[in-house]
Amino acid sequence: VVAPADYEAVLVDLRAGAVPAGRLRALAAKAFGHVSTYDAVVADYLRDEAFPDELTIAGRKAFEPRYGENPHQRAAAYHLLGQSGDASGVLAANQLSGKAMSFNNLLDADAALGVVRGEDAPAVCVVKHMTPCGYAVRDDLAEATRLAIAGDPVSAFGGIVALNRV
């Protein structure tokens, strides 16, 4: 039993005489997943080659987006664990307004963040459907925002806006 949240249910089952097969299977899956995540993080740490023949990736669920690529699909967003994980990516960002993110919104936000992240000066990028539709770099962030949205105001509606400054 690898999750403290499962202790009470297992104790109740043990006191009743047996842990049901369904719970044992679920606990076994959780334990193997936990151990394999740990092993993947250790392998990532020890790895000294860029492109190994076999690659394991460990992740921890950050949240479930509003929907997947299409509204009838489910999705989950994961933080990478280990030395190659990026704790400063879009999943670590604060959403200031709007509906909860969807899978497509996350892709757009990642693309927009990738564009402005490398700029030293105040920069703003607007992305819709994985396509930058407005981009501006100025000394004044408000002016950069105005110009980026003016690049394609129709597409900017409902798009993702990324800024590299507060």
Side-chain angles (χ1 to χ4, degrees):
V1 181
V2 297
D6 294 325
Y7 292 172
E8 185 63 33
V10 171
L11 282 173
V12 168
D13 290 339
L14 289 172
R15 288 179 182 133
V19 180
R23 187 177 325 274
L24 286 174
R25 183 177 179 89
L27 291 170
K30 226 182 234 190
F32 275 97
H34 185 75
V35 170
S36 66
T37 297
Y38 174 81
D39 290 346
V41 170
V42 172
D44 185 47
Y45 175 78
L46 296 174
R47 188 175 294 118
D48 63 356
E49 56 186 318
F51 303 106
D53 291 336
E54 294 182 334
L55 178 66
T56 51
I57 299 170
R60 180 167 290 121
K61 186 166 72 172
F63 67 96
E64 293 184 23
R66 200 163 29 109
Y67 57 84
E69 188 171 3
N70 295 297
H72 67 283
Q73 297 169 323
R74 295 180 60 204
Y78 289 82
H79 288 284
L80 288 177
L81 302 176
Q83 66 181 14
S84 61
D86 182 2
S88 63
V90 72
L91 294 181
N94 293 319
Q95 181 177 343
L96 299 178
S97 67
K99 296 179 188 175
M101 300 283 262
S102 71
F103 173 79
N104 294 330
N105 295 148
L106 287 173
L107 290 178
D108 288 351
D110 185 61
L113 182 61
V115 170
V116 299
R117 191 178 242 170
E119 287 291 343
D120 291 328
V124 178
C125 183
V126 182
V127 172
K128 184 142 182 194
H129 302 301
M130 288 294 296
T131 304
C133 55
Y135 178 65
V137 178
R138 291 292 184 271
D139 290 332
D140 177 64
L141 189 60
E143 178 66 4
T145 302
R146 188 188 68 71
L147 291 171
I149 291 172
D152 184 349
V154 173
S155 293
F157 181 79
I160 299 292
V161 179
L163 302 87
N164 68 348
R165 300 280 192 285
V166 176

